[in-house]
Amino acid sequence: MAAHLPTTEKGRATRLRILEAAARLISERGAGAVSLEDIEREAEVGRSQLYHYFYDRDDLVRTVIDVTTDAVLGAQDGLLDDLDSFAAIDRWFDALVALQDERGAIGGCPIGSLVGQLAERDEPTRTALAAGFARWEQPLIDGLARMRDRGELKPEVSVQVLADVTMAAIQGGLLLTQVRRDPQQLRHSLDGARTVLAAAAVV
Amino acid sequence: MAAHLPTTEKGRATRLRILEAAARLISERGAGAVSLEDIEREAEVGRSQLYHYFYDRDDLVRTVIDVTTDAVLGAQDGLLDDLDSFAAIDRWFDALVALQDERGAIGGCPIGSLVGQLAERDEPTRTALAAGFARWEQPLIDGLARMRDRGELKPEVSVQVLADVTMAAIQGGLLLTQVRRDPQQLRHSLDGARTVLAAAAVV
């Protein structure tokens, strides 16, 4: 049985409904507690429809990771496009903290939350998670590279390492924000990343 | 039905067997996918034994968080006692990275991995996770406070904030280490925390 991409509007809607149902159930109960039967019931589709669009349960879970990444990047829409100045990075950091304020520090990072339950499942699932983080990080790597090329960052700095440190600060800050119900945890973590970035600047 | 602490050697062994079985299954399958039946089968105990030591499933899960914290702190045995110098902090950071090297960057943080699946379950469970992180962080807060009191850190710095940034760097670094199977992710994240700590030092 092969997975198909939908060719009709109705097909696209059905596939999306399955993915949204799966993402919702996995977020609520954890991936291990969600069966195909649960997803079929939630999405109001039959097994044959599900297998038309997804090769198997693992294929569905990995596609959920992809659409979760789409949603996370969508929530940062416009902020990731030009991360090539400290002003733009500050706006991005402020927006990430503001989002946690709005959400009452509930839920953590939608992608990060999947790591603990899915990263050790199998290699393709781990790779899907890694691909999600890579997509998120790339605009920052690109922006920092432009800053370095313009002589605003020291020529010897690794923009990859600076971006990795920043992504770790976002994930760690969001995790502590969730556990402590305190958006200041993310604020302080991002202030720390900002100190590291500033140390790489040409002054 | 009330939960009892074991009074005999045999009782202590039974309670520990239940907790270890529950921790193992939750780590392997995710908390949502583990039933009391699964834990009874894995620990080779009956329902009445389980209810003798644990009030209910939630009580058992929260106790698993506590023993997971014990294990994480135990793995850092001796390193957390005197975190009141940059040399001691560097030794601690080096040991955390060495542990990930040994483990092939597999598994992430045993406590952090539980956050995504348990933090939104109920308030007592979130509080148990927060208590785990607080126990882990306290030796660092104490050590940094001693450094400040000796005049090695600037008097105006918040040792709580410095410790929060460090804990976030550990969590974010471990998450990216796991997803990317690369202990250098933790190394870079901890180097970033080290830059933040150094910026608070009296020079």
Side-chain angles (χ1 to χ4, degrees):
Chain A
M1 251 180 305
H4 299 80
L5 282 174
T7 52
T8 64
E9 198 52 52
K10 188 157 172 269
R12 270 187 290 275
T14 303
R15 182 172 179 276
L16 186 64
R17 202 164 71 240
I18 296 169
L19 280 170
E20 287 177 345
R24 193 163 51 241
L25 291 174
I26 288 172
S27 153
E28 284 170 12
R29 306 183 194 169
V34 179
S35 67
L36 285 184
E37 287 75 15
D38 296 331
I39 295 166
E40 286 159 18
R41 205 173 309 121
E42 181 85 1
E44 299 180 1
V45 298
R47 179 64 50 103
S48 66
Q49 280 172 293
L50 204 147
Y51 273 122
H52 184 71
Y53 295 117
F54 302 98
Y55 187 75
D56 55 17
R57 188 176 183 286
D58 288 341
D59 179 38
L60 175 56
V61 167
R62 291 192 284 267
T63 312
V64 165
I65 292 170
D66 294 340
V67 297
T68 301
T69 304
D70 292 341
V72 168
L73 298 186
Q76 300 170 76
D77 193 31
L79 292 161
L80 298 171
D81 297 337
D82 294 295
L83 289 176
D84 61 354
S85 70
F86 284 115
I89 291 168
D90 287 339
R91 273 195 300 276
W92 176 41
F93 284 179
D94 289 348
L96 291 173
V97 176
L99 190 64
Q100 290 305 309
D101 272 324
E102 277 170 36
R103 292 184 179 173
I106 290 172
C109 174
I111 314 176
S113 296
L114 295 175
V115 170
Q117 37 182 325
L118 290 178
E120 306 305 342
R121 194 182 176 89
D122 53 52
E123 270 298 285
T125 304
R126 183 187 68 74
T127 306
L129 288 163
F133 284 109
R135 277 171 62 199
W136 188 355
E137 184 176 22
Q138 195 58 50
L140 178 61
I141 296 172
D142 295 343
L144 293 172
R146 288 197 295 277
M147 291 173 74
R148 190 187 53 190
D149 293 347
R150 288 199 305 259
E152 295 162 21
L153 298 180
K154 294 172 189 165
E156 70 272 19
V157 300
S158 161
V159 296
Q160 175 77 54
V161 168
L162 286 177
D164 289 349
V165 170
T166 305
M167 293 304 290
I170 293 173
Q171 286 303 310
L174 283 171
L175 187 142
L176 291 181
T177 287
Q178 179 181 21
V179 167
R180 295 178 168 169
R181 289 283 188 261
D182 172 18
Q184 288 304 303
Q185 296 292 317
L186 178 60
R187 176 80 275 167
H188 295 148
S189 182
L190 293 179
D191 288 347
R194 192 63 175 73
T195 299
V196 175
L197 291 170
V202 171
V203 284
Chain B
M1 248 181 307
H4 299 81
L5 282 174
T7 52
T8 64
E9 198 53 50
K10 188 157 173 266
R12 271 186 289 275
T14 302
R15 182 172 180 275
L16 185 65
R17 202 163 71 239
I18 296 169
L19 280 169
E20 287 177 346
R24 192 163 51 241
L25 291 174
I26 288 172
S27 151
E28 283 170 13
R29 306 182 193 169
V34 179
S35 67
L36 285 184
E37 287 76 13
D38 296 332
I39 295 166
E40 286 159 19
R41 204 173 311 122
E42 182 84 2
E44 298 179 1
V45 298
R47 180 66 49 102
S48 65
Q49 280 173 293
L50 204 147
Y51 273 121
H52 183 73
Y53 296 116
F54 303 97
Y55 188 75
D56 56 16
R57 187 177 182 287
D58 288 341
D59 179 39
L60 174 57
V61 167
R62 291 193 283 269
T63 311
V64 165
I65 293 170
D66 295 340
V67 298
T68 301
T69 305
D70 293 340
V72 167
L73 298 187
Q76 300 170 76
D77 194 31
L79 292 161
L80 298 171
D81 297 336
D82 294 294
L83 289 175
D84 61 354
S85 69
F86 283 115
I89 290 169
D90 287 339
R91 273 195 300 275
W92 177 41
F93 284 179
D94 289 348
L96 291 173
V97 176
L99 191 62
Q100 290 304 309
D101 271 325
E102 276 170 36
R103 293 183 178 173
I106 290 172
C109 174
I111 314 176
S113 297
L114 296 175
V115 171
Q117 39 182 324
L118 290 178
E120 307 305 343
R121 194 183 177 91
D122 54 53
E123 270 298 285
T125 304
R126 182 187 68 74
T127 305
L129 288 163
F133 284 108
R135 277 171 62 200
W136 190 355
E137 185 176 20
Q138 194 58 50
L140 178 60
I141 296 172
D142 294 343
L144 293 172
R146 288 198 294 278
M147 291 173 74
R148 191 187 53 190
D149 293 347
R150 287 197 305 258
E152 295 161 19
L153 298 181
K154 294 171 189 165
E156 71 271 20
V157 301
S158 162
V159 296
Q160 176 76 55
V161 168
L162 286 177
D164 289 350
V165 170
T166 305
M167 294 303 290
I170 293 173
Q171 286 303 310
L174 283 171
L175 187 142
L176 291 181
T177 287
Q178 180 180 21
V179 167
R180 296 178 167 169
R181 288 284 188 264
D182 172 19
Q184 288 304 303
Q185 295 293 318
L186 178 60
R187 177 79 274 167
H188 295 148
S189 182
L190 294 179
D191 287 347
R194 192 60 177 74
T195 299
V196 175
L197 292 170
V202 171
V203 284

